[in-house]
Amino acid sequence: MSPSRVSRTFLGSPASITEARRFITVFLRNWPCVDDAELIVSELATNAVRHSDSGRFGGRFTVSIEADRSRMWLSVLDEGGPLSPRVLPPLASGENGRGLVLVNELAAAWGITGDDRGRIVWAVLEALPEAATRR
Ligand SMILES: Nc1ncnc2c1ncn2[C@@H]1O[C@H](COP(=O)(O)OP(=O)(O)OP(=O)(O)O)[C@@H](O)[C@H]1O
Ligand SMILES: [Mg+2]
């Protein structure tokens, strides 16, 4: 797969989480890390809809993928709001708080930028596309 970059914007509704997953599986179908990428984007899109202003009426979020031969950069841009993404401590989180813990486990690196007007949560996966690993 040649270096590539693609973004798509979705309505900030729960139904869009399925669409965002599909966007990842279609665009990254030849990449061995497609399952990890799908999980990460699913968690980040869910968070955008549930915790940011993207989930308000008319809100949107944008998923971006940037890939080169060995690395993939995934991100979800939301519409901000009063809450900030943060890894919840296990005791405080109970049933919740697994999303960013999972992202932290799967990604080689991840982070948060932005402010209450819009935030990006990004994650990097290191993986060679199948075509490159066969060589
Ligand atoms: N995009 C976001 N905008 C604002 N706050 C966020 C965002 N993503 C996460 N958060 C905050 O960070 C916390 C931790 O997120 P995380 O995904 O780990 O857990 P959760 O969404 O609460 O539960 P789970 O993902 O297990 O269903 C959230 O409870 C929320 O307060
Ligand atoms: Mg979550």
Side-chain angles (χ1 to χ4, degrees):
M1 190 188 250
S2 55
S4 43
R5 200 177 191 168
V6 64
S7 293
R8 192 161 296 169
T9 297
F10 300 88
L11 284 176
S13 65
S16 296
I17 297 159
T18 309
E19 287 177 41
R21 292 176 78 136
R22 176 105 186 110
F23 169 59
I24 292 292
T25 55
V26 168
F27 187 76
L28 298 176
R29 61 190 174 280
N30 294 327
W31 289 70
C33 61
V34 57
D35 293 345
D36 287 354
E38 182 187 3
L39 263 175
I40 287 172
V41 166
S42 177
E43 291 300 332
L44 298 185
T46 303
N47 282 351
V49 171
R50 279 181 50 197
H51 303 303
S52 85
D53 284 357
S54 296
R56 295 169 72 170
F57 182 76
R60 289 165 191 269
F61 65 91
T62 299
V63 178
S64 299
I65 310 167
E66 199 170 332
D68 66 16
R69 286 181 167 276
S70 61
R71 203 166 293 125
M72 182 181 307
W73 185 82
L74 305 164
S75 71
V76 173
L77 165 67
D78 66 34
E79 294 190 354
L83 294 176
S84 267
R86 65 194 198 288
V87 176
L88 297 176
L91 284 178
S93 55
E95 286 291 295
N96 291 335
R98 293 156 308 177
L100 292 178
V101 169
L102 188 72
V103 171
N104 186 48
E105 279 168 9
L106 295 176
W110 72 283
I112 303 154
T113 61
D115 56 27
D116 59 351
R117 292 166 301 170
R119 294 186 179 88
I120 293 172
V121 185
W122 58 268
V124 173
L125 285 174
E126 297 201 30
L128 293 170
E130 276 166 16
T133 53
R134 276 201 302 271
R135 246 178 254 141

